[in-house]
Amino acid sequence: MDVKIESSWKEILKDEFHKSYFQQIVLHLKTERATGATIYPTGSQIFNAFDKTPFDKIKVVILGQDPYHNPQQAMGLSFSVPDGIATPPSLQNIYKELKTDIGLEIPKTGNLIKWAEQGILLLNAVLTVRANEPASHSKIGWMNFTDAVIKKISEEKTGVIFLLWGKFAQDKQVLVDATKHFVLKAAHPSPLSAHNGFFGCKHFSKTNELLTKQGLEPIDWKP
């Protein structure tokens, strides 16, 4: 199956694209589109996280759950929205923590593409969603795929910093070899839980400390 994805990922994940679960994902999406369903993000952006952060560039992984399900929000990068779209509540709280942690003024854009280009894989566990129906594609096979992605990163790289926010993301820790990677955990930045340990987690300064200790360029967190 010829999947349009950045070349290093295409090589790393080539076996996954031939597995029956992946073919079922493709069939499911084609069937829904044929019946008139609107699916986010657009087809060309489903693998945007991979296209913007090649495998050899990964320094940090921020794991999200599901793409945004409202019009014009989803762009294939976890927590990110395109320029000109209002910053969603969880991302607003991420920005608040950035200001408290490192003094960054609240950005006017919710577009995190500059993070991705610096080596932050902004990975949602599920890569598509039906319009206005959160978690509508959570059981079509995407988690088999993204679990395989996390395992590949864990197996083939060292020193990657995994930011796991909330129980859903933290349940993925079993896929990460913590003897050769860094795992930072906190509550989810959602307004429902940010006060339970996301605010004050200082994950942004801690990430840069860990990168610097490895002789790597720290992240410029300004979007």
Side-chain angles (χ1 to χ4, degrees):
M1 183 175 293
D2 186 27
V3 176
K4 291 184 173 62
I5 192 170
E6 189 274 333
S7 58
S8 65
W9 283 109
K10 192 165 192 171
E11 177 62 25
I12 289 283
L13 298 171
K14 60 186 177 185
D15 292 343
E16 298 303 311
F17 299 135
H18 295 287
K19 291 181 179 177
S20 60
Y21 82 81
F22 194 87
Q23 291 165 18
Q24 286 298 315
I25 294 172
V26 174
L27 180 61
H28 189 102
L29 296 177
K30 283 181 177 175
T31 302
E32 284 203 3
R33 287 199 182 102
T35 60
T38 298
I39 295 171
Y40 299 134
T42 60
S44 63
Q45 291 190 315
I46 290 173
F47 296 114
N48 204 18
F50 304 90
D51 295 336
K52 295 295 185 286
T53 311
F55 189 78
D56 63 335
K57 302 289 188 190
I58 299 170
K59 299 194 286 191
V60 181
V61 177
I62 297 180
L63 189 66
Q65 189 164 352
D66 205 36
Y68 295 120
H69 59 269
N70 292 324
Q72 299 182 304
Q73 287 186 311
M75 57 181 293
L77 305 175
S78 61
F79 295 102
S80 180
V81 291
D83 290 325
I85 301 299
T87 304
S90 290
L91 185 53
Q92 289 178 28
N93 285 337
I94 289 170
Y95 286 169
K96 288 176 186 175
E97 177 59 21
L98 269 166
K99 185 172 185 180
T100 304
D101 185 9
I102 64 169
L104 181 72
E105 288 304 313
I106 302 293
K108 290 184 169 59
T109 180
N111 190 337
L112 304 180
I113 200 163
K114 289 181 182 175
W115 291 11
E117 291 171 346
Q118 293 178 77
I120 301 179
L121 182 66
L122 295 166
L123 180 67
N124 277 320
V126 177
L127 298 187
T128 57
V129 68
R130 273 196 310 274
N132 307 311
E133 295 182 51
S136 48
H137 287 175
S138 62
K139 293 183 170 63
I140 71 169
W142 278 127
M143 288 200 214
N144 298 63
F145 179 72
T146 53
D147 282 0
V149 168
I150 296 167
K151 284 180 189 171
K152 285 287 187 185
I153 296 169
S154 179
E155 290 165 3
E156 301 199 18
K157 297 184 75 71
T158 56
V160 175
I161 302 156
F162 290 83
L163 304 185
L164 305 182
W165 298 334
K167 183 181 184 305
F168 177 86
Q170 289 164 19
D171 285 346
K172 303 292 185 181
Q173 186 175 349
V174 297
L175 305 172
V176 179
D177 182 350
T179 66
K180 61 176 194 164
H181 298 285
F182 304 97
V183 177
L184 301 182
K185 296 187 286 186
H188 195 278
S190 156
L192 298 173
S193 56
H195 290 281
N196 295 330
F198 180 77
F199 291 137
C201 71
K202 298 188 180 298
H203 278 187
F204 307 103
S205 59
K206 288 176 181 176
T207 293
N208 278 352
E209 287 169 14
L210 291 168
L211 291 172
T212 302
K213 282 179 182 174
Q214 296 181 78
L216 298 171
E217 190 75 23
I219 302 297
D220 175 0
W221 291 105
K222 184 178 180 182

